[in-house]
Amino acid sequence: VRMFARIGAALGEDAPAGMNAGGAGTPGDAKAQASAIVADRAGPYWNPLHPQHRETVQQVTRLLAAAG
């Protein structure tokens, strides 16, 4: 279940109206989401060979930009 949650988070679906870039509702939410992705040392963010690595790095970049 956790693996599928990570995959879903890494895919980064389109944000509903009113949401910041990266799918976070507020700058604090964006920062928290980015921190959670980066904290997962076994996830695709830290593994350049993972098929979702580039998308995950881009998602974190968008989240941090939305956090300001």
Side-chain angles (χ1 to χ4, degrees):
V1 172
R2 289 182 187 144
M3 177 185 71
F4 288 115
R6 282 190 215 128
I7 292 170
L11 291 176
E13 298 179 10
D14 289 338
M19 299 290 275
N20 290 333
T26 67
D29 292 340
K31 186 173 182 179
Q33 287 179 10
S35 294
I37 293 169
V38 172
D40 181 10
R41 300 294 290 181
Y45 183 84
W46 293 106
N47 181 357
L49 299 178
H50 192 283
Q52 296 299 321
H53 171 74
R54 184 177 1 174
E55 291 84 4
T56 304
V57 171
Q58 290 172 347
Q59 180 184 18
V60 169
T61 301
R62 286 190 305 270
L63 287 166
L64 292 175

